[in-house]
Amino acid sequence: MRKICVAGNWKMNKDLNEAVSLISELKKTLENQTINADVIICPPAIALETSKTLIEGTAIQLGAQNMHFADSGAYTGELSASMLKSVGCKYVILGHSERRTIFGESNEVINKKVKKALADGVDPIFCIGETLEERESGVMQKVIEEQVRKGLAEVTVEELGKVIVAYEPVWAIGTGKTASPEQAQEVHAFIRGLLKEMYSEEAAEKVIIQYGGSVKPGNADKLLSQKDIDGALVGGACLDAESFFGIIKAAK
Ligand code: 13P
């Protein structure tokens, strides 16, 4: 049985004071609640170290939103996997569609980041997903297959055990348009099938595949009850403790 995993991608929101407030509210909200999910928060880099201190002793885990694939060096503005680890990050979001489209990250660059994160002991939340145009023109599966095969190239079966896959249809991100639970399930099953082909049935069955794209307390329950949907990568709704909790408690 895969345990549900709910991650909050704060994106470029919340300064340090606001981050402290949100985490304090989240801690209060989660206190004394039965939680059937792993919970990860991914605040902006300026708040990582403080966040780590604030979540100590709670069930909340920490992730970053991006990293560079090099060890160190002349990469102004970038952060390495070992730097993220040094401030307590267990996870890093890689290949988010905003990184792919706004910052031009290719499958090859994302693959380098995935391998580096794994080598340095930070678990990737590896994002994939099609645009509306790709879905409507019938190339969705081809696009997703390419993202998975290229993004996970040279990742071993042991390493796959550390990877969380996040399926985020680009047309559902921040738009209020969610994939229906059935639409999402169909793609999740396709992704798991691909992982079976690339690795093994046993390995693929263990991989957490999150859904992302306008997940809200009102739709989380139906999404999370689908066979191959093992969690959510939440954007907008994680910026408020109550609504993030509304999604977390949908995990049965
Ligand atoms: P929204 O939940 O705001 O649609 O964002 C989803 C997302 O991109 C999470 O990474």
Side-chain angles (χ1 to χ4, degrees), residues 10-11 22 26 30 34 38 55 63 144 149 158-159 164 172 186 212 214 221 224 244 252:
W10 295 17
K11 308 192 180 181
L22 178 52
L26 190 60
L30 297 183
T34 309
D38 286 328
I55 61 178
I144 289 175
R149 287 194 187 273
E158 291 76 26
E159 289 173 329
I164 294 176
E186 193 186 337
S214 298
D221 190 36
L224 294 182
F244 193 44
K252 297 287 163 2

mmCIF file of all heavy atoms in Angstrom, residues 10-11 22 26 30 34 38 55 63 144 149 158-159 164 172 186 212 214 221 224 244 252:
data_model
loop_
_atom_site.group_PDB
_atom_site.id
_atom_site.type_symbol
_atom_site.label_atom_id
_atom_site.label_comp_id
_atom_site.label_asym_id
_atom_site.label_seq_id
_atom_site.Cartn_x
_atom_site.Cartn_y
_atom_site.Cartn_z
ATOM 1 N N TRP A 10 4.870 26.425 -2.604
ATOM 2 C CA TRP A 10 4.492 27.820 -2.330
ATOM 3 C C TRP A 10 4.811 28.737 -3.519
ATOM 4 O O TRP A 10 4.373 29.864 -3.555
ATOM 5 C CB TRP A 10 5.229 28.336 -1.106
ATOM 6 C CG TRP A 10 4.903 27.665 0.195
ATOM 7 C CD1 TRP A 10 4.288 26.455 0.396
ATOM 8 C CD2 TRP A 10 5.187 28.180 1.506
ATOM 9 N NE1 TRP A 10 4.176 26.193 1.743
ATOM 10 C CE2 TRP A 10 4.725 27.235 2.448
ATOM 11 C CE3 TRP A 10 5.791 29.343 1.992
ATOM 12 C CZ2 TRP A 10 4.838 27.419 3.826
ATOM 13 C CZ3 TRP A 10 5.914 29.534 3.369
ATOM 14 C CH2 TRP A 10 5.440 28.588 4.271
ATOM 15 N N LYS A 11 5.630 28.256 -4.443
ATOM 16 C CA LYS A 11 6.095 29.075 -5.577
ATOM 17 C C LYS A 11 6.724 30.378 -5.043
ATOM 18 O O LYS A 11 7.278 30.368 -3.956
ATOM 19 C CB LYS A 11 4.954 29.301 -6.565
ATOM 20 C CG LYS A 11 4.287 27.974 -6.983
ATOM 21 C CD LYS A 11 3.364 28.100 -8.149
ATOM 22 C CE LYS A 11 2.767 26.723 -8.474
ATOM 23 N NZ LYS A 11 1.866 26.744 -9.607
ATOM 24 N N LEU A 22 2.567 31.428 8.270
ATOM 25 C CA LEU A 22 1.857 30.306 7.635
ATOM 26 C C LEU A 22 2.233 28.975 8.298
ATOM 27 O O LEU A 22 1.360 28.139 8.584
ATOM 28 C CB LEU A 22 2.152 30.267 6.133
ATOM 29 C CG LEU A 22 1.531 29.119 5.337
ATOM 30 C CD1 LEU A 22 0.016 29.011 5.569
ATOM 31 C CD2 LEU A 22 1.811 29.257 3.841
ATOM 32 N N LEU A 26 -0.181 26.458 10.260
ATOM 33 C CA LEU A 26 -0.279 25.065 9.814
ATOM 34 C C LEU A 26 -0.030 24.109 10.981
ATOM 35 O O LEU A 26 -0.748 23.118 11.157
ATOM 36 C CB LEU A 26 0.729 24.829 8.685
ATOM 37 C CG LEU A 26 0.618 23.516 7.928
ATOM 38 C CD1 LEU A 26 -0.744 23.367 7.258
ATOM 39 C CD2 LEU A 26 1.721 23.428 6.858
ATOM 40 N N LEU A 30 -2.690 21.409 12.369
ATOM 41 C CA LEU A 30 -2.431 19.961 12.297
ATOM 42 C C LEU A 30 -2.350 19.304 13.678
ATOM 43 O O LEU A 30 -2.456 18.084 13.785
ATOM 44 C CB LEU A 30 -1.123 19.682 11.541
ATOM 45 C CG LEU A 30 -1.054 20.095 10.068
ATOM 46 C CD1 LEU A 30 0.277 19.685 9.457
ATOM 47 C CD2 LEU A 30 -2.193 19.472 9.264
ATOM 48 N N THR A 34 -5.603 13.438 13.345
ATOM 49 C CA THR A 34 -5.096 12.201 12.764
ATOM 50 C C THR A 34 -4.786 12.499 11.312
ATOM 51 O O THR A 34 -5.669 12.936 10.567
ATOM 52 C CB THR A 34 -6.168 11.095 12.833
ATOM 53 O OG1 THR A 34 -6.620 11.046 14.169
ATOM 54 C CG2 THR A 34 -5.618 9.754 12.387
ATOM 55 N N ASP A 38 1.744 11.761 4.282
ATOM 56 C CA ASP A 38 3.013 12.465 4.486
ATOM 57 C C ASP A 38 2.784 13.890 4.018
ATOM 58 O O ASP A 38 2.125 14.125 3.000
ATOM 59 C CB ASP A 38 4.118 11.814 3.639
ATOM 60 C CG ASP A 38 4.563 10.475 4.231
ATOM 61 O OD1 ASP A 38 4.521 10.337 5.472
ATOM 62 O OD2 ASP A 38 4.919 9.570 3.460
ATOM 63 N N ILE A 55 9.540 23.505 11.883
ATOM 64 C CA ILE A 55 8.805 22.223 11.756
ATOM 65 C C ILE A 55 9.460 21.087 12.535
ATOM 66 O O ILE A 55 8.951 19.972 12.541
ATOM 67 C CB ILE A 55 8.631 21.795 10.270
ATOM 68 C CG1 ILE A 55 9.986 21.584 9.580
ATOM 69 C CG2 ILE A 55 7.768 22.785 9.517
ATOM 70 C CD1 ILE A 55 9.888 21.106 8.136
ATOM 71 N N GLY A 63 10.900 20.687 1.643
ATOM 72 C CA GLY A 63 11.426 20.552 0.288
ATOM 73 C C GLY A 63 11.736 21.915 -0.301
ATOM 74 O O GLY A 63 11.197 22.937 0.142
ATOM 75 N N ILE A 144 4.302 12.827 -22.491
ATOM 76 C CA ILE A 144 4.545 12.339 -21.128
ATOM 77 C C ILE A 144 5.586 11.224 -21.141
ATOM 78 O O ILE A 144 6.488 11.190 -20.295
ATOM 79 C CB ILE A 144 3.217 11.908 -20.468
ATOM 80 C CG1 ILE A 144 2.404 13.173 -20.177
ATOM 81 C CG2 ILE A 144 3.458 11.109 -19.192
ATOM 82 C CD1 ILE A 144 1.049 12.956 -19.640
ATOM 83 N N ARG A 149 10.843 9.150 -19.786
ATOM 84 C CA ARG A 149 12.041 8.401 -20.216
ATOM 85 C C ARG A 149 13.290 9.276 -20.158
ATOM 86 O O ARG A 149 14.344 8.839 -19.690
ATOM 87 C CB ARG A 149 11.849 7.835 -21.626
ATOM 88 C CG ARG A 149 10.872 6.664 -21.657
ATOM 89 C CD ARG A 149 10.956 5.895 -22.967
ATOM 90 N NE ARG A 149 9.916 4.884 -23.044
ATOM 91 C CZ ARG A 149 10.027 3.656 -22.557
ATOM 92 N NH1 ARG A 149 11.130 3.268 -21.957
ATOM 93 N NH2 ARG A 149 9.031 2.797 -22.661
ATOM 94 N N GLU A 158 16.958 1.254 -7.709
ATOM 95 C CA GLU A 158 17.073 1.623 -6.285
ATOM 96 C C GLU A 158 16.757 3.105 -6.112
ATOM 97 O O GLU A 158 16.073 3.512 -5.182
ATOM 98 C CB GLU A 158 18.490 1.360 -5.726
ATOM 99 C CG GLU A 158 18.877 -0.094 -5.592
ATOM 100 C CD GLU A 158 19.219 -0.748 -6.924
ATOM 101 O OE1 GLU A 158 19.633 -0.033 -7.855
ATOM 102 O OE2 GLU A 158 19.030 -1.985 -7.037
ATOM 103 N N GLU A 159 17.296 3.898 -7.036
ATOM 104 C CA GLU A 159 17.059 5.355 -6.950
ATOM 105 C C GLU A 159 15.590 5.694 -7.195
ATOM 106 O O GLU A 159 15.053 6.633 -6.595
ATOM 107 C CB GLU A 159 17.939 6.100 -7.961
ATOM 108 C CG GLU A 159 19.409 6.103 -7.580
ATOM 109 C CD GLU A 159 20.301 6.687 -8.670
ATOM 110 O OE1 GLU A 159 19.972 6.557 -9.869
ATOM 111 O OE2 GLU A 159 21.332 7.272 -8.323
ATOM 112 N N ILE A 164 9.518 10.849 -6.213
ATOM 113 C CA ILE A 164 8.064 11.064 -6.261
ATOM 114 C C ILE A 164 7.784 11.657 -7.638
ATOM 115 O O ILE A 164 8.464 12.595 -8.057
ATOM 116 C CB ILE A 164 7.614 12.061 -5.166
ATOM 117 C CG1 ILE A 164 7.842 11.471 -3.780
ATOM 118 C CG2 ILE A 164 6.155 12.467 -5.355
ATOM 119 C CD1 ILE A 164 7.528 12.420 -2.626
ATOM 120 N N ALA A 172 -4.158 22.748 -16.130
ATOM 121 C CA ALA A 172 -4.900 22.735 -14.866
ATOM 122 C C ALA A 172 -4.187 23.530 -13.769
ATOM 123 O O ALA A 172 -4.708 23.687 -12.674
ATOM 124 C CB ALA A 172 -5.103 21.294 -14.407
ATOM 125 N N GLU A 186 -6.453 8.056 -15.489
ATOM 126 C CA GLU A 186 -6.030 7.445 -16.747
ATOM 127 C C GLU A 186 -4.538 7.745 -17.018
ATOM 128 O O GLU A 186 -3.767 6.849 -17.378
ATOM 129 C CB GLU A 186 -6.897 8.024 -17.868
ATOM 130 C CG GLU A 186 -6.811 7.291 -19.158
ATOM 131 C CD GLU A 186 -7.595 8.028 -20.258
ATOM 132 O OE1 GLU A 186 -8.524 8.811 -19.951
ATOM 133 O OE2 GLU A 186 -7.239 7.823 -21.425
ATOM 134 N N GLY A 212 -1.253 17.198 -9.588
ATOM 135 C CA GLY A 212 -1.222 18.637 -9.286
ATOM 136 C C GLY A 212 -1.948 19.422 -10.351
ATOM 137 O O GLY A 212 -1.902 19.084 -11.543
ATOM 138 N N SER A 214 -4.763 22.835 -9.599
ATOM 139 C CA SER A 214 -6.024 23.305 -9.000
ATOM 140 C C SER A 214 -6.637 22.302 -8.018
ATOM 141 O O SER A 214 -7.853 22.134 -7.972
ATOM 142 C CB SER A 214 -7.029 23.682 -10.090
ATOM 143 O OG SER A 214 -6.519 24.751 -10.876
ATOM 144 N N ASP A 221 -10.783 14.859 -2.263
ATOM 145 C CA ASP A 221 -11.287 13.561 -1.854
ATOM 146 C C ASP A 221 -11.434 12.606 -3.057
ATOM 147 O O ASP A 221 -10.913 11.484 -3.048
ATOM 148 C CB ASP A 221 -12.657 13.804 -1.192
ATOM 149 C CG ASP A 221 -13.171 12.563 -0.515
ATOM 150 O OD1 ASP A 221 -12.328 11.838 0.035
ATOM 151 O OD2 ASP A 221 -14.391 12.309 -0.574
ATOM 152 N N LEU A 224 -7.947 11.838 -4.679
ATOM 153 C CA LEU A 224 -7.082 10.958 -3.882
ATOM 154 C C LEU A 224 -7.650 9.553 -3.728
ATOM 155 O O LEU A 224 -6.938 8.645 -3.298
ATOM 156 C CB LEU A 224 -6.814 11.577 -2.503
ATOM 157 C CG LEU A 224 -6.004 12.879 -2.510
ATOM 158 C CD1 LEU A 224 -5.751 13.363 -1.088
ATOM 159 C CD2 LEU A 224 -4.667 12.700 -3.236
ATOM 160 N N PHE A 244 -5.001 24.042 2.994
ATOM 161 C CA PHE A 244 -4.005 22.969 2.833
ATOM 162 C C PHE A 244 -4.424 21.772 3.685
ATOM 163 O O PHE A 244 -4.414 20.624 3.231
ATOM 164 C CB PHE A 244 -2.618 23.484 3.228
ATOM 165 C CG PHE A 244 -1.484 22.584 2.824
ATOM 166 C CD1 PHE A 244 -1.429 21.991 1.565
ATOM 167 C CD2 PHE A 244 -0.416 22.338 3.700
ATOM 168 C CE1 PHE A 244 -0.362 21.161 1.186
ATOM 169 C CE2 PHE A 244 0.646 21.512 3.332
ATOM 170 C CZ PHE A 244 0.669 20.923 2.080
ATOM 171 N N LYS A 252 -7.276 9.129 3.166
ATOM 172 C CA LYS A 252 -7.963 8.170 4.062
ATOM 173 C C LYS A 252 -7.011 7.062 4.503
ATOM 174 O O LYS A 252 -6.116 6.696 3.794
ATOM 175 C CB LYS A 252 -9.148 7.544 3.330
ATOM 176 C CG LYS A 252 -10.231 8.564 2.928
ATOM 177 C CD LYS A 252 -10.991 9.016 4.150
ATOM 178 C CE LYS A 252 -11.825 10.294 4.025
ATOM 179 N NZ LYS A 252 -11.951 11.033 2.840
#
